Amino acid sequence: MSTQQAPDRAEQLSAELSRSLFGDHTPDASPHEHGRRLLADEAFAHRGGLSPAESVELAYRRLRIVNASLDDPWRLAGDVHRLAALHEWLAVADGALTTVAGIHYNLFLGSLVDHDPDADRDLTPLLTTDRVGTFLCTELDHGNDAAALETTATFDAATGGFVLHTPHPGARKFMPNTSPAGGPKTAVVAARLLVEGADLGAFLFLVELSDDTGFRPGISVRPLPERLGSPVDHCLTSFDQVLLPHSALLQGDHGRLTADGELTGGIGNRRKRFLRAIGRVTTGKLCMSACGLGGARAALAIAVRYAGRRHVTGMSAGRRVPLTAHRSHTDRLLEATATAYAMTYLHRAATDAWARAQHEPALREDAERLVAVTKAWNTWEARRICVECRERCGAQGLFPVNGLADFTTNIEGTITAEGDNLVIWVKAAGELLFAPATVPPARPAAPRPLDDPRAMREMLAAHEATLRARATAALRGGPTGDPQARWNHAVGPAQEALSAHVLVRAADAFLTATAAAAAGGGGAGALLTDLCRLFLLDRLRPLAGALIADGLLPVEEARRLPSLVQELRARLTPRLETLVDAFALPEELLTRLPLLDLAAQAARPEGPPR
Ligand SMILES: Cc1cc2nc3c(=O)[nH]c(=O)nc-3n(C[C@H](O)[C@H](O)[C@H](O)COP(=O)(O)OP(=O)(O)OC[C@H]3O[C@@H](n4cnc5c(N)ncnc54)[C@H](O)[C@@H]3O)c2cc1C
C-alpha cells in the first residue's frame, strides 16, 4: 500500500503526524511517553488463560508496576493532562488495570488533591500502593442520579466526628472495587451529611475499609457477579454505624464544617456543593474518553497493518492480493482513521479547556459541558471503530491474544462509567439551548465550495444554529405545567442540535491542529487538510437533504459530494499506513500479536498463523 512513497518520506510524515497528535516523544515534552513506554514493556503483554480472579490480581500487580514507574503519584493526581494521557496507553494493555488505576489516581487521590491538599494525613501507604484507593459514590438505587444518594454521615456533637450508615439495601454502594483482592483498601465515600436532623447535602468522607486482617468493624462487602469486559472486583458495600473522626470529612471552598457542626462555605446550593465535591468525575470523563481513543487508535493500527499482510484471492485468476487492494476494505478503515484523528484533537481541546478552568472558574461551566460531550461522542465513536476493526480482521480478530477483542467489550464500561453517555448527552443538549451561540451564528453570506474544510465547518455551524432555534421553539411550544412533558417535547431536536455542535467543535479542533502542522512546513499539513475534509464530507453527506432544504448547501455542491469523497479516498488510501503509524503504538506490542507475526507469515505466505 505505501509503496507509492519512499520509506523515509513516509517515516518523516508519520513522525510529523505523531507530533501533531501527541507532542514531542520525549519524557519532558509529552505526557504520553511514560504510558507508551509502559505499553512496550513485556510486563503488560497479553496473558491468556487466566481465571477472572487471576486477572484481577494481575491488574493490581500491574498497578504497582505503574506506581513504581512514576516520579510522583501525588503530582500525577493533580495533573489532568498526565492522568488522561496515561489512560490512552494503559487502556490498550489491560482494561482491568486501567479501571483500578483510574479509580486510585483520579477518583481517590485526585479527590484528596482537590480537598485541602495540605491536610495532615499520612498518605504514604496510598502513594506507595501498599494500600489501594477506591471511590464509593454510586448506590444500587442511585446511579446517574447519584445526587439523591442515601448513605448518611451523621454529625456527632459529642465527638465532633460522624456515624457512617447505610439506611437500607438500596443505599448499598454499587460497583466499586472494595474486595480483599489487591490488598488493604481505603475509600472516599459520598454520604449525606446530617447535622441535628438537617440534611446539608452529600459530601465526601475518607474511610479505611480494610487492613491485612480483613474489613474494619461495621463494613460489609459482597462481591458482584462477573461482568462483561476485563473483570474488576466490583462489589456491594455497606456501612453499619461506622464511626469516623472529624478529619474524615473532605472539606474545601465548597463547604466546611466547624467542630460545632456549623456549615460554612461559598456554595449555598446542596446539589451544586455535591457536584463540586465530586468534581473528579469530570476528569474521570476525560479518562474514559482517553480510553476510547487509545482503544480506537490501537484497533486501527492493528487492523491496517493486518490488511497489508493478509492475502486473499484477487480479481485476476491465480493472483493473491493483500486486503489493502480492496477499496471495500480500506474505505471503512480510512473513514475510521479520519474519525480517530478528529476524536483525538477534540479530546486535546477538552483536556486543555478543563485544565484552564481549574484556574479560571468563569470557564468551568463551558469546559464541563465540552468534557461531557467529548466523553460521550468519543466513546460512542470508539465503540463503532473497535467493532469495525475487529470485523475487518475476521476470525483472527475474535481472539483476545490478537489484541482487538477486548476493546469491543471494555469500551462498554467507558460508555456507562462517570455518567452514562445518553444522560450526560441529554443534559448537555438542554444546557446548550441557553448557552451562547457557536460562532458564526449567521448563515455564510455566499456558500463556498466544499473543497474548503472551513466552508464545511461554517455550514455545520449554521446548521447547528438552525437546529438550536428549532429545539428552543419546541421547548417554548411544549405543554405547560408539566416539566417532564415539556422537556420530552424538545429533547429530540435538542439532541440533534448537540450532534451538530459536537461536529463543529471537532472540526474546530481538527482545523487548529491542521494549521499548526502546516506551520511546521512539512507534508503533514496538507495530509491533515485532506483527512479533515474527508471527515467533514462523511459527516455532511447524511445531512445533505436538511442542508439543501435550509438553503445552506447549493444543489450543485450536493451533487459533487460523492465524487469529492471518492477523490479524497483515492488520494488518502496510499497514506493509510502512514496515518496509523503515527498512532505510535510500540513495535514491541505489535510484534507480540500473533496475527501480525511476520516471521511466521514468511513461512506461510498464504496467510497468518492459526
Ligand atoms: C466499569 C465500571 C466501573 C465503575 N466503578 C465505579 C466506582 O468505582 N465507584 C462508583 O461509585 N461507581 C462506579 N461505577 C458505577 C457508575 O458510576 C454507574 O454505573 C453509572 O453512574 C450509571 O448508573 P447505573 O448503572 O445505576 O445506571 P442507571 O442510572 O440506572 O441508568 C440506566 C439507564 O437509564 C437511563 N437513565 C438514567 N437516568 C436517566 C435520566 N435522567 N434521563 C434519561 N435516561 C436516564 C440511562 O441512560 C441508562 O440507559 C462503575 C461503573 C462501571 C460500568
Side-chain angles (χ1 to χ4, degrees):
M1 169 172 42
S2 48
T3 48
Q4 297 179 25
Q5 51 189 317
D8 52 350
R9 164 88 177 124
E11 268 172 38
Q12 188 192 328
L13 254 183
S14 146
E16 279 177 40
L17 292 168
S18 243
R19 267 197 298 282
S20 155
L21 291 165
F22 304 111
D24 284 325
H25 283 174
T26 61
D28 293 336
S30 164
H32 291 275
E33 187 56 19
H34 171 237
R36 231 183 126 247
R37 284 195 194 153
L38 286 174
L39 193 56
D41 194 316
E42 186 66 29
F44 295 90
H46 177 84
R47 296 268 305 274
L50 299 182
S51 69
E54 288 167 334
S55 299
V56 170
E57 287 297 345
L58 178 64
Y60 285 107
R61 277 205 303 283
R62 285 176 166 174
L63 175 68
R64 290 180 171 110
I65 299 174
V66 171
N67 203 63
S69 74
L70 294 171
D71 52 351
D72 181 352
W74 186 251
R75 197 157 69 87
L76 171 71
D79 186 332
V80 174
H81 285 98
R82 284 184 70 203
L83 270 174
L86 188 63
H87 281 72
E88 285 184 37
W89 302 95
L90 290 188
V92 180
D94 180 337
L97 162 68
T98 315
T99 304
V100 298
I103 294 166
H104 179 78
Y105 292 115
N106 175 47
L107 293 174
F108 178 83
L109 281 182
S111 293
L112 298 183
V113 167
D114 291 351
H115 294 81
D116 287 349
D118 300 326
D120 187 19
R121 302 183 183 109
D122 180 14
L123 299 177
T124 312
L126 290 150
L127 296 174
T128 56
T129 49
D130 287 335
R131 287 190 154 270
V132 175
T134 61
F135 186 78
L136 281 61
C137 181
T138 310
E139 296 176 356
L140 212 44
D141 283 357
H142 302 290
N144 286 291
D145 64 338
L149 59 85
E150 294 177 82
T151 301
T152 53
T154 306
F155 178 68
D156 178 0
T159 63
F162 309 92
V163 181
L164 186 67
H165 190 63
T166 303
H168 62 85
R172 281 176 292 173
K173 294 295 182 184
F174 172 54
M175 292 301 277
N177 50 321
T178 49
S179 88
K185 293 190 178 153
T186 301
V188 161
V189 180
R192 198 157 285 290
L193 175 59
L194 304 180
V195 178
E196 291 177 0
D199 176 356
L200 302 185
F203 282 79
L204 299 182
F205 295 83
L206 189 62
V207 183
E208 193 171 296
L209 294 178
S210 54
D211 56 26
D212 289 330
T213 62
F215 291 106
R216 310 288 292 165
I219 295 175
S220 309
V221 170
R222 204 176 101 192
L224 286 164
E226 229 178 281
R227 72 153 165 85
L228 185 83
S230 301
V232 172
D233 54 316
H234 298 296
C235 295
L236 281 174
T237 309
S238 52
F239 304 97
D240 183 10
Q241 312 286 348
V242 174
L243 302 181
L244 301 177
H246 192 86
S247 61
L249 174 63
L250 299 191
Q251 314 193 55
D253 295 341
H254 62 292
R256 298 184 179 281
L257 195 73
T258 65
D260 302 332
E262 193 193 333
L263 186 70
T264 61
I267 302 179
N269 174 312
R270 279 191 305 191
R271 185 180 158 78
K272 283 193 178 158
R273 230 171 12 231
F274 172 63
L275 293 178
R276 183 60 62 87
I278 59 161
R280 276 293 158 156
V281 169
T282 301
T283 307
K285 287 185 174 75
L286 282 172
C287 295
M288 296 301 102
S289 164
C291 291
L293 293 182
R297 288 195 310 252
L300 278 162
I302 295 166
V304 168
R305 197 175 274 207
Y306 182 67
R309 285 149 182 76
R310 172 68 164 159
H311 285 67
V312 295
T313 302
M315 303 291 277
S316 314
R319 246 194 91 208
R320 287 176 74 76
V321 295
L323 280 169
T324 47
H326 290 277
R327 281 278 299 273
S328 56
H329 198 86
T330 51
D331 281 356
R332 284 165 176 259
L333 294 175
L334 189 58
E335 182 279 328
T337 300
T339 302
Y341 272 78
M343 288 159 62
T344 304
Y345 294 134
L346 178 64
H347 175 88
R348 302 278 177 259
T351 310
D352 289 347
W354 183 235
R356 260 198 317 275
Q358 306 306 300
H359 310 291
E360 292 181 58
L363 302 177
R364 197 176 172 102
E365 215 174 291
D366 278 353
E368 255 171 0
R369 189 166 52 251
L370 179 60
V371 168
V373 298
T374 299
K375 183 263 192 188
W377 191 70
N378 272 357
T379 54
W380 272 330
E381 289 293 329
R383 170 159 65 186
R384 187 176 67 77
I385 291 173
C386 290
V387 168
E388 181 74 58
C389 291
R390 198 298 299 157
E391 204 180 320
R392 299 285 65 80
C393 293
Q396 297 282 357
L398 291 172
F399 294 98
V401 70
N402 280 330
L404 286 165
D406 285 348
F407 297 149
T408 58
T409 51
N410 287 341
I411 196 74
E412 297 300 326
T414 68
I415 284 166
T416 294
E418 316 283 5
D420 171 80
N421 275 6
L422 184 58
V423 173
I424 61 179
W425 187 257
V426 165
K427 177 173 177 284
E431 289 171 4
L432 192 67
L433 299 187
F434 303 99
T438 309
V439 284
R443 295 169 184 203
R448 284 188 273 147
L450 292 172
D451 307 83
D452 177 359
R454 293 198 176 271
M456 288 190 260
R457 184 268 179 212
E458 281 172 29
M459 201 178 286
L460 277 168
H463 181 54
E464 180 197 336
T466 307
L467 293 174
R468 271 213 221 184
R470 270 181 210 148
T472 307
L475 190 64
R476 290 209 183 102
T480 50
D482 180 347
Q484 178 81 57
R486 195 177 170 82
W487 177 231
N488 281 347
H489 198 248
V491 68
Q495 286 180 85
E496 283 178 32
L498 182 64
S499 296
H501 177 75
V502 74
L503 290 182
V504 175
R505 302 300 294 254
D508 284 344
F510 211 144
L511 288 166
T512 303
T514 301
L527 188 50
L528 284 174
T529 302
D530 271 354
L531 200 65
C532 183
R533 287 178 64 212
L534 182 67
F535 168 70
L536 290 172
L537 284 171
D538 276 332
R539 303 291 159 156
L540 280 176
R541 287 170 79 195
L543 303 175
L547 294 170
I548 293 169
D550 291 334
L552 296 171
L553 177 64
V555 174
E556 22 340 323
E557 281 298 289
R559 286 206 185 96
R560 290 176 65 218
L561 272 168
S563 60
L564 282 173
V565 170
Q566 287 288 11
E567 274 169 34
L568 274 172
R569 284 177 180 164
R571 212 155 58 221
L572 283 166
T573 300
R575 304 278 184 267
L576 183 52
E577 201 166 329
T578 302
L579 286 164
V580 300
D581 279 351
F583 294 162
L585 266 283
E587 270 313 300
E588 293 89 336
L589 172 119
L590 293 170
T591 49
R592 280 198 292 260
L593 306 176
L595 92 165
L596 298 180
D597 185 336
L598 290 176
Q601 197 181 345
R604 287 173 58 93
E606 75 275 18
R610 286 163 203 282

